[in-house]
Amino acid sequence: MVVIGGGYAGVMAANRLTQREDVTVTLINPRPTFVARLRLHQLVGGSHDAVVDYGEVLAEGIRLVVDTVTRIDAAERSVTLAKGGMVGYDYLVYAVGSGSADRCVPGAAEFAYPIATLEAAQQLRSVVDAAPATAAMTVVGAGPTGIETVAELAELGRRVTLVCGGVLGPYLHPRARRVASKRLATLGVTVLDGPDAKVTAVTRDAVQLGDGRTLPSRVTIWTAGFGVPDLAARSGLSTDAVGRLLTDETLTAVDDVRIIAAGDSAAPSDLPFRMSAYAAGCLGAHAADTVLDRIAGKRPAPIKLSFPAMCISLGRRAGIYQLAHLDDTAMRLFLGGRPGAKLKELSCTYSVKHLANEARKPGSHTWLKNDKRQQLLRAKRGQALATPERSA
């Protein structure tokens, strides 16, 4: 078995595959250490290094290959490595994760700093440390990453502005959003939201907004959007519009039953799950179960996954634990302040602990399940049937 990608999904899948003694597992990852991606904003703020040794989370006997896969040859059942050579497989778990989206706004690619990868966060940490204490900084994007990053910087005493491009924390219930807004104001963050709070250009020392305003910005941090590696598309496999590998509900690629996807890079039924470490771990476990079922001659089960909550840190001393309905919409119920911060910390800790537990006892990871997804799929199919085809 070959697993491409050593993040939350890939490590969980690799560990779970070791349930069978006659299965050998090779994990291919470009870095020699596991990246605790939930803590990258802490790396920027200096409160965590965001890495974990693979010895702590990977089951014994798994072969770790530190390299990058440049191509998948489905016909030959092999992958090509950047450093040279090929690795064959009987089954392949595709768990390449995600990163920053292409920064299409003029000047963003040249002058704005991403944070979605370990290397990007490490570079940003150096840039922040080198900037004068009074330097103006701007964070673009008001999803969880943007909110967490701006709070970390503000707690350090940095003068920082959050440009939302719309609503602050779109997932949050309005009650929780007000709490987040109040906390950011207490930290001294300037929050610019609404339809005009969109970045139209980035220069070396400023950010331009849609309403004509120009904000001084010594350091501009880009957290808006996400992208996935183009490995699947380059390998001739079917993908969605973003580049995620298209699969059925068992997470099996629509092109090949020997390829199973998990995590941010998977698009089951062209209806991907919300990106999160929690979902990645569950999808990684289910991907492994699909492989093991196929080996055993069983029919793989469709994925069933419930999202119980979303956690957002607001610095080291406050946070929001937003409870969710089964359809992954925010409830009125949430915990803020120090309780929210403690639950966020537990979430980060257990995202790694779950991997370590699975390494010690393969097959032990469980998660909340529900059937709401089938309703979404039926609604999606109904919309497709109701949409007339365009004439040539």
Side-chain angles (χ1 to χ4, degrees):
M1 308 295 163
V2 169
V3 179
I4 307 176
Y8 296 101
V11 171
M12 180 62 78
N15 287 341
R16 202 170 183 92
L17 286 170
T18 63
Q19 290 178 76
R20 287 185 63 117
E21 295 183 357
D22 59 345
V23 166
T24 58
V25 183
T26 297
L27 179 69
I28 305 173
N29 191 64
R31 304 177 191 86
T33 52
F34 175 82
V35 177
R37 189 170 172 182
L38 291 178
R39 296 191 185 275
L40 289 179
H41 62 286
Q42 288 185 251
L43 191 162
V44 174
S47 63
H48 203 283
D49 60 9
V51 294
V52 177
D53 189 276
Y54 270 121
E56 297 182 28
V57 296
L58 209 56
E60 291 185 11
I62 294 177
R63 176 191 175 209
L64 175 64
V65 175
V66 181
D67 206 335
T68 299
V69 174
T70 59
R71 186 174 182 275
I72 300 167
D73 189 331
E76 295 296 326
R77 295 183 194 165
S78 66
V79 298
T80 302
L81 303 179
K83 295 177 183 178
M86 302 174 72
V87 178
Y89 65 83
D90 292 308
Y91 284 92
L92 177 72
V93 176
Y94 185 85
V96 297
S98 63
S100 298
D102 291 336
R103 287 157 282 162
C104 299
V105 171
E110 294 83 0
F111 303 115
Y113 295 91
I115 189 179
T117 66
L118 176 66
E119 293 76 16
Q122 289 172 333
Q123 180 188 16
L124 179 56
R125 167 92 180 267
S126 298
V127 170
V128 169
D129 288 347
T134 58
M137 298 184 179
T138 303
V139 175
V140 181
T145 303
I147 293 172
E148 292 180 335
T149 302
V150 78
E152 293 289 328
L153 294 173
E155 274 199 343
L156 295 174
R158 292 294 186 171
R159 186 161 60 94
V160 60
T161 298
L162 178 63
V163 180
C164 298
V167 177
L168 173 69
Y171 181 89
L172 297 174
H173 188 277
R175 295 175 69 240
R177 187 175 299 124
R178 287 193 290 271
V179 170
S181 180
K182 184 177 180 180
R183 171 62 180 171
L184 292 178
T186 299
L187 290 173
V189 175
T190 299
V191 176
L192 302 179
D193 57 4
D196 293 329
K198 294 184 178 180
V199 175
T200 57
V202 180
T203 64
R204 189 179 302 278
D205 55 8
V207 169
Q208 297 177 12
L209 302 184
D211 60 2
R213 283 178 290 177
T214 298
L215 308 177
S217 184
R218 176 70 175 265
V219 179
T220 300
I221 303 167
W222 200 271
T223 70
F226 85 103
V228 298
D230 65 350
L231 175 60
R234 282 190 286 110
S235 301
L237 299 171
S238 297
T239 65
D240 69 359
V242 175
R244 290 170 287 217
L245 183 64
L246 284 174
T247 76
D248 63 15
E249 286 297 289
T250 71
L251 304 183
T252 303
V254 297
D255 301 311
D256 194 322
V257 296
R258 297 279 181 159
I259 300 176
I260 294 87
D264 294 346
S265 54
S269 302
D270 202 11
L271 190 67
F273 290 93
R274 172 164 59 85
M275 293 171 55
S276 68
Y278 163 77
C282 298
L283 292 172
H286 191 85
D289 289 346
T290 292
V291 172
L292 294 173
D293 282 344
R294 292 197 186 283
I295 293 173
K298 300 178 182 178
R299 183 176 181 178
I303 180 68
K304 293 183 179 180
L305 176 60
S306 173
F307 288 82
M310 172 186 277
C311 305
I312 299 178
S313 67
L314 297 168
R316 295 297 88 213
R317 295 182 294 277
I320 289 178
Y321 186 83
Q322 173 68 72
L323 294 169
H325 295 287
L326 289 179
D327 63 355
D328 195 26
T329 58
M331 292 181 178
R332 287 175 55 86
L333 297 175
F334 70 94
L335 287 172
R338 287 190 179 275
K342 289 181 179 179
L343 286 171
K344 167 66 177 182
E345 178 60 27
L346 280 174
S347 175
C348 291
T349 299
Y350 271 88
S351 67
V352 175
K353 187 175 176 58
H354 287 320
L355 301 178
N357 289 342
E358 186 72 15
R360 290 194 298 269
K361 189 177 179 182
S364 61
H365 185 65
T366 60
W367 59 93
L368 294 173
K369 300 175 175 67
N370 75 83
D371 293 319
K372 289 286 185 180
R373 182 168 174 83
Q374 294 307 310
Q375 297 177 22
L376 293 174
L377 290 172
R378 285 194 292 271
K380 180 176 182 291
R381 294 183 186 115
Q383 290 173 357
L385 290 172
T387 302
E389 295 183 4
R390 293 183 180 181
S391 58

